[in-house]
Structures are given as C-alpha cells and as structure tokens.
Amino acid sequence: MNDFVYYTPTKVIFGRDKEDLVGDELKSRGAKKVLIHYGGGSVVRSGLLDRVKASLDASGISYVELGGVVPNPRLSLVYEGIELARREKVDHILAVGGGSVLDSSKAIGYGVPYDGDVWDFYDRKAQAKEILPVCDILTLAATGSEMSNSSVITKDEGGIKRGYSNDLGRPVFSILDPQLTTTLPPYQTKCGCTDIIMHTLERYFTSKGNMDLTDEIAKGLIKTVMKHARILLDDPENYDSRAEVMWAGSLSHNGLTGCGNGGFDFATHRLEHELSGMYDVAHGAGLAALWGSWARYVMDDCLWRFRKFATDVMDVPDQGNDHDIALKGIEKMEDFFRELGMPVSMSELGLNPSDEDIRTLAANCSKAVGGKIGAAKVLYEEDFVRIYHMAK
Ligand code: NZQ
Ligand code: ZN
C-alpha cells in the first residue's frame, strides 16, 4: 500500500440532455464570453452545436467559435485558438467533442496566459503556472480527458506527438450525456472502449505495490466495459450501456484506479503516441496493436500481477504454473480486442514499419519519456525497439 494524492476537482454533470444546462453552468461561474472549440463537423451535423449556442444565448453569454480539430490534434490550430481567444478576450474555453477537442482546448488554455511558445510545455521545457478555464461537453467516451490532467498534441511538422500533464488541465466542469455518443461510428466506439480498458491496465500492472480495494475497482471497471462494449456491438443505441461506458471512461483516467498501488506504467501509451503521431492512426487501435507485445515482454518481471489479472479479471482457471496462467490472461485480453475488431499487431493496424522506422519511433519515444518509463518493468530505448519488432 503506497501513499497517494487523489485530486479530481472536475464537476461532473451526467445524464440525458444535460448539455442544455451549459449556459447556466457557465453563468454561475461568472463567464461572459467563451470560445466554443469543436472538431470536424460531427457536432454540427448532430445539431449539438446549435443547442449549445441556444443555451448560451438564453444565459446571456457571448461566444466565438473555432472548429476544425482533427484526431491527433495539431499544434497549428492550437496557435490559432490562442490568438483568437486573446483577441476576443474570452474567459472560458468550451470544448464540444471527443478527446482531441478537449486536448486542443487545454493547450489553448495553457497558451493564452503564457508569454512563450505553448509547445514548451509539451516539449518538457517549461511548466504552466496558469490556464484559462476549460470545460466540456463530451461526445466520445474514450480518453478520460474530461477528468484527466493530460493533453496530447501533435506538432504538424514531423508528426511529433507529445503529452503534457498538469492538474491545471483538469476541466472545471464536464457535461456527460451518454445519448451524444450514439452517433459515433462503430469503429470509434470500439477504439474508445479499448482506450478506457487500457487506462486501467496501465495502472494495474505495477511492481510497486498493491491495494485490494483499487484492484477490485479496476476489475469492476474492466469487466463492466467488456460487458457493455459487447452489448454495443449489436445495440449501439442502448442508453444504459452507453452510460456505463461513459462513466467508466472518466473513472479510468482520473486517478482512481491507481490509488495505493503506485501504478503508473504507461509504456504502451507512450509507444502508441509515437505510432499515432507518425502514422495518424486512431489511439485506441494503436494501443490494442501494441499491448500484447508489451505484456509478453514485461510479464516475467511482474508475474504476480499478470497472474492475478488472469485469474481475477479474465477468469482464467487457476491451474498450471504462474507463467502459463499469466500468458492465458494476456491471450484472453487479446481475444477480446479481436472480438471488437481491434488489431493486435501493427500489420493488422495496416502498418509495416522498416527497421529504420522502428529505430526512429523508439528514439522519439525515449526522448519523450526522458530516457525510461514503466512501473511493471522499467524500459529503455533498446526495449522499445524490441517491443515494436515483436508487435510487427
Ligand atoms: O471531429 P469530429 O467531426 O467531431 O469527429 C470525431 C473524430 O473524427 C468523431 N466523433 C467524436 N464524437 C462523435 C464523433 N462522430 C460522431 N458522433 C460523435 N458523438 O470521432 C473521431 C475521433 O475523435 P477524437 O476526439 O480524435 O477521439 P478520442 O476521443 O479517442 O481522442 C483521441 C485523442 O486523445 C488522446 C489521444 O492520443 C488522441 O490524440 N488522448 C488523450 C488523453 C488525455 N487527454 O487524458 C489520454 C489518452 O490516453 C489519449 O492519449
Ligand atoms: Zn489512452
């Protein structure tokens, strides 16, 4: 049992049609003018943007808009957003969309009060001291950005994708209406469920400690997402399943499933960020493509956790030696990813990186993580190279 800090200041407003409360909520916070930030058009087509504007109008809050956030959100649009927010003197940024829109909003929020280049934060050169408050209406259950302290941005030149974590980046409020996720393409729902499970797995596999309560929460979260992801395959309009997945998404990455176990591995995530930065693939699919290779590479250094995962979470019979049991747990998780139609290798993801590409991916990853990363097993650049090769 490790000491821990659990900090989740985000007010969550959850349920049907709660997006209509956004004007009131902003007004109660003293907002006068907001930047509405959104993506490639799904919120226009669904009518959500018009409803948001109607709610702001009714509460007497003025706004400016900036759409065009793409998956794996780009730094160039962040710069545009910073200029616009400064020029228009907005006091809040309202993200309406998925994780990419939220992350772009957080980056704009960091950039507005900062004298230097906002990329400094993502490039490990500076720490943000302030942020323009960010709030959101989430349309995709996946990243947990609606409660997390993270933001992940891609520099346009060279596809360099970097995350920045700071508690200032936790949204002041998040409106979660599961109905809004029913318009998602099935592929995005599946990528989202994978990402949600992965945020808990990243905390589960640790050699640093144990807390029974946290393990039980992790087990409950993973099993719940697996159950409802399966339901959504055939019944995407199922409100209850959308709601279960959406709330799991928030809890999976707000710190809850890491309390007391010292767990924060995140090697799979950082290896994936290089893939989605360089090849522009969906984050959840990239995670599924790499996770099994990472797990096989580190399992013997964290065997008791992999064994517990197999028997406790994946219901592998408690028979045979520890290694075989642990391996069966990994295989069952991969079987689930396959069931969702997720890739479990880079070739299934449509990628065939050369040896040189893998060297570049590993070197960039090493730079991004400051040389090493891992709680299940500490990994270095040469380990990254081997894992990418295993995942081919
Ligand atoms: O741009 P629009 O038109 O809105 O379309 C989006 C986009 O094409 C679409 N979409 C979203 N909600 C929809 C919808 N389409 C129909 N109906 C809806 N209700 O889905 C596509 C993907 O959206 P995106 O926001 O890119 O997906 P996601 O939420 O998975 O975000 C992925 C990004 O978040 C980062 C990832 O690396 C990636 O860049 N992450 C952020 C984290 C954080 N801030 O804590 C943690 C994660 O581990 C992750 O790294
Ligand atoms: Zn993720």
Side-chain angles (χ1 to χ4, degrees):
M1 169 71 181
N2 293 267
D3 299 345
F4 62 88
V5 174
Y6 180 56
Y7 181 64
T8 56
T10 304
K11 176 177 179 179
V12 174
I13 305 166
F14 193 102
R16 286 186 168 89
D17 301 328
K18 292 291 184 268
E19 57 276 17
D20 295 337
L21 300 177
V22 67
D24 285 349
E25 192 58 36
L26 278 161
K27 193 174 178 181
S28 74
R29 295 185 48 83
K32 299 271 186 290
K33 189 171 192 179
V34 304
L35 168 62
I36 307 175
H37 200 31
Y38 58 93
S42 72
V43 301
V44 179
R45 290 189 294 278
S46 68
L48 175 60
L49 192 63
D50 284 341
R51 289 172 62 201
V52 169
K53 290 183 196 169
S55 175
L56 297 179
D57 287 338
S59 298
I61 294 170
S62 54
Y63 48 82
V64 287
E65 295 172 43
L66 181 63
V69 180
V70 294
N72 304 313
R74 305 298 198 274
L75 182 62
S76 51
L77 193 70
V78 171
Y79 289 144
E80 219 179 291
I82 293 169
E83 291 217 347
L84 179 64
R86 283 181 181 155
R87 196 167 62 239
E88 295 289 337
K89 299 192 171 41
V90 306
D91 46 49
H92 284 72
I93 302 168
L94 172 60
V96 185
S100 293
V101 175
L102 270 69
D103 286 4
S104 184
S105 299
K106 292 179 184 184
I108 294 170
Y110 288 127
V112 170
Y114 182 58
D115 280 341
D117 181 350
V118 69
W119 186 249
D120 290 350
F121 304 131
Y122 295 81
D123 206 21
R124 302 163 64 96
K125 287 186 180 145
Q127 285 295 335
K129 302 278 188 294
E130 310 173 62
I131 190 168
L132 199 62
V134 173
C135 52
D136 63 88
I137 299 170
L138 185 69
T139 64
L140 203 178
T143 64
S145 187
E146 68 275 14
M147 289 185 88
S148 85
N149 65 354
S150 305
S151 157
V152 189
I153 298 295
T154 299
K155 196 171 194 180
D156 306 54
E157 314 81 48
I160 301 292
K161 185 171 182 177
R162 293 283 177 268
Y164 178 58
S165 297
N166 184 318
D167 280 333
L168 293 169
R170 296 186 195 268
V172 291
F173 68 83
S174 290
I175 295 182
L176 310 184
D177 176 358
Q179 295 174 129
L180 299 178
T181 64
T182 56
T183 55
L184 279 167
Y187 184 69
Q188 289 297 338
T189 299
K190 296 168 188 177
C191 288
C193 290
T194 304
D195 193 20
I196 293 168
I197 289 171
M198 281 300 310
H199 292 149
T200 290
L201 293 183
E202 295 279 22
R203 293 169 167 91
Y204 189 94
F205 294 108
T206 169
S207 301
K208 295 188 175 170
N210 182 48
M211 184 178 185
D212 287 347
L213 176 59
T214 295
D215 281 359
E216 290 298 315
I217 292 170
K219 174 167 83 174
L221 192 147
I222 292 168
K223 281 177 171 276
T224 300
V225 177
M226 290 175 71
K227 173 181 167 182
H228 291 283
R230 284 180 169 127
I231 293 173
L232 290 171
L233 287 176
D234 295 325
D235 186 10
E237 307 268 322
N238 188 309
Y239 178 83
D240 289 338
S241 292
R242 289 286 181 188
E244 299 274 2
V245 166
M246 197 166 210
W247 187 224
S250 302
L251 297 185
S252 196
H253 202 32
N254 77 350
L256 181 66
T257 60
C259 293
N261 66 12
F264 201 80
D265 188 275
F266 276 85
T268 310
H269 259 76
R270 302 308 284 267
L271 291 164
E272 194 293 319
H273 283 169
E274 299 308 323
L275 279 193
S276 46
M278 193 181 280
Y279 301 109
D280 209 12
V281 294
H283 171 63
L287 292 171
L290 295 175
W291 181 77
S293 298
W294 166 85
R296 286 182 181 82
Y297 190 78
V298 305
M299 62 182 277
D300 288 324
D301 288 76
C302 190
L303 199 53
W304 72 278
R305 296 297 288 169
F306 277 92
R307 188 190 195 288
K308 182 172 182 182
F309 172 72
T311 55
D312 222 26
V313 183
M314 301 309 289
D315 299 321
V316 171
D318 196 351
Q319 291 157 7
N321 66 49
D322 291 351
H323 183 90
D324 290 349
I325 292 171
L327 202 53
K328 286 198 180 105
I330 296 169
E331 287 164 359
K332 281 192 87 170
M333 190 79 253
E334 287 184 320
D335 287 345
F336 173 72
F337 291 150
R338 284 193 193 94
E339 204 183 320
L340 289 190
M342 286 285 105
V344 295
S345 66
M346 289 198 281
S347 60
E348 288 183 20
L349 183 61
L351 303 180
N352 182 21
S354 65
D355 290 356
E356 196 186 333
D357 294 336
I358 285 180
R359 274 271 150 219
T360 305
L361 289 165
N364 287 345
C365 187
S366 178
K367 184 158 183 276
V369 301
K372 61 178 180 177
I373 190 165
K377 175 183 167 76
V378 179
L379 302 176
Y380 301 85
E381 187 172 329
E382 285 310 309
D383 300 306
F384 304 156
V385 170
R386 289 187 200 109
I387 293 169
Y388 282 129
H389 274 289
M390 282 170 72
K392 277 184 87 169

